[in-house]
Amino acid sequence: MARTSDRTQQVNHYKTLRISYSAAPAEVKSAYRGLVKEYHPDCNHHLDNHDDIASINLAYEVLSNPQSRAHYDRSLGIKHSPNGVSQGGKRSPSKRETHLNEDQKLDRWFKQVYEPITEMLEVILDSLDEQIDDLAADPYDDGLMEDFEDYIDECRGSYAKAQIFFRAFPNPTSAAGIASYLYHCLNAISDGIEELNYFTLNFDDHHLHTGQELWRRADEMRYCAQMAMENLQTV
């Protein structure tokens, strides 16, 4: 840990990424992507870029995280004004909701939680292969990569909405198994989004393949939830 701290103080991460001290998060990301592309072995076969890439990765790790960037800025004597983010708590059930019988709770959960979530899962899970096929034409093309990033942003937005619906109402006892499948499905999607995002930053196929595998697991959990719901409705 001490070595990382020493190295952090010895270098200027802003200069490493070639950005200003006031650079917005989008500028940090864009600068990082550009440098990774510039120093990537596929583009510079004749250069030994290990140290350069390590410095670029470290700079991005520090400056892409609001908390670590604030701490780093303070160490440089830069004034930092973090943005406050408020998060709403889980809604407490009303008196009327506590008097619903099990069938009514299941019907409400199906219509207000399960159905909207499965619609969002369809948007997220059913387009990845097509998106990757489009990007495969030239992963280093900025336009194609921007399209792929737009897809990831859409997935991130749909995932966030799905999480809101998932927390809207407690699942009925009879739907506990279905809710568990949805929970693991959403977790896999969350991890997959991060892996796909890492790929857009460093062009490392390992992250792309890991994202695909997490998508496969999420799709498997979605299928299990669908089968469990169908079985429950036929009882």
Side-chain angles (χ1 to χ4, degrees):
M1 184 65 69
R3 292 181 180 178
T4 301
S5 178
D6 291 344
R7 185 177 182 185
T8 299
Q9 300 301 324
Q10 291 171 359
V11 299
N12 187 309
H13 297 317
Y14 289 96
K15 290 183 179 179
T16 298
L17 295 186
R18 305 173 189 172
I19 56 177
S20 69
Y21 293 115
S22 60
E27 295 177 83
V28 175
K29 179 179 179 180
S30 177
Y32 175 72
R33 280 191 57 213
L35 288 170
V36 168
K37 184 186 296 186
E38 178 180 338
Y39 286 94
H40 197 281
D42 289 348
C43 301
N44 292 285
H45 298 283
H46 61 291
L47 296 177
D48 180 7
N49 301 321
H50 178 76
D51 290 340
D52 291 321
I53 292 176
S55 297
I56 292 167
N57 286 338
L58 176 60
Y60 182 73
E61 180 180 349
V62 172
L63 299 183
S64 64
N65 181 283
Q67 287 74 32
S68 63
R69 180 176 179 178
H71 178 77
Y72 179 68
D73 285 354
R74 285 194 296 270
S75 74
L76 296 178
I78 301 172
K79 293 183 178 180
H80 183 77
S81 299
N83 294 321
V85 179
S86 60
Q87 296 181 343
K90 188 173 181 179
R91 185 177 64 86
S92 300
S94 66
K95 290 183 178 180
R96 178 178 178 276
E97 291 169 348
T98 59
H99 288 86
L100 294 176
N101 62 40
E102 188 67 14
D103 288 341
Q104 290 171 324
K105 290 179 181 178
L106 178 61
D107 182 65
R108 182 193 61 182
W109 188 81
F110 175 75
K111 293 178 179 178
Q112 299 188 34
V113 178
Y114 177 81
E115 282 191 333
I117 287 178
T118 53
E119 290 177 3
M120 293 170 196
L121 291 178
E122 182 176 347
V123 172
I124 295 173
L125 294 174
D126 293 348
S127 303
L128 180 59
D129 289 342
E130 180 180 351
Q131 293 290 333
I132 291 177
D133 287 342
D134 291 342
L135 182 63
D138 184 359
Y140 295 104
D141 181 88
D142 289 338
L144 293 177
M145 183 58 79
E146 286 177 4
D147 290 342
F148 191 66
E149 287 181 315
D150 288 342
Y151 164 70
I152 296 174
D153 287 339
E154 290 175 6
C155 291
R156 187 177 286 110
S158 295
Y159 165 79
K161 292 178 182 177
Q163 284 285 20
I164 292 173
F165 279 100
F166 188 74
R167 295 185 173 94
F169 301 106
N171 60 272
T173 303
S174 57
I178 302 168
S180 178
Y181 287 131
L182 291 180
Y183 173 81
H184 290 296
C185 176
L186 291 172
N187 275 355
I189 288 173
S190 177
D191 292 341
I193 287 173
E194 293 310 310
E195 289 294 332
L196 295 177
N197 186 60
Y198 289 145
F199 168 72
T200 68
L201 297 172
N202 56 30
F203 305 93
D204 186 339
D205 286 343
H206 168 74
H207 294 300
L208 182 61
H209 297 154
T210 301
Q212 287 178 292
E213 174 60 20
L214 287 163
W215 241 239
R216 186 196 65 77
R217 294 180 192 174
D219 195 34
E220 184 178 276
M221 291 297 100
R222 173 179 62 166
Y223 176 78
C224 290
Q226 291 172 340
M227 292 299 99
M229 178 58 79
E230 288 180 9
N231 292 335
L232 182 60
Q233 292 176 325
T234 57
V235 173

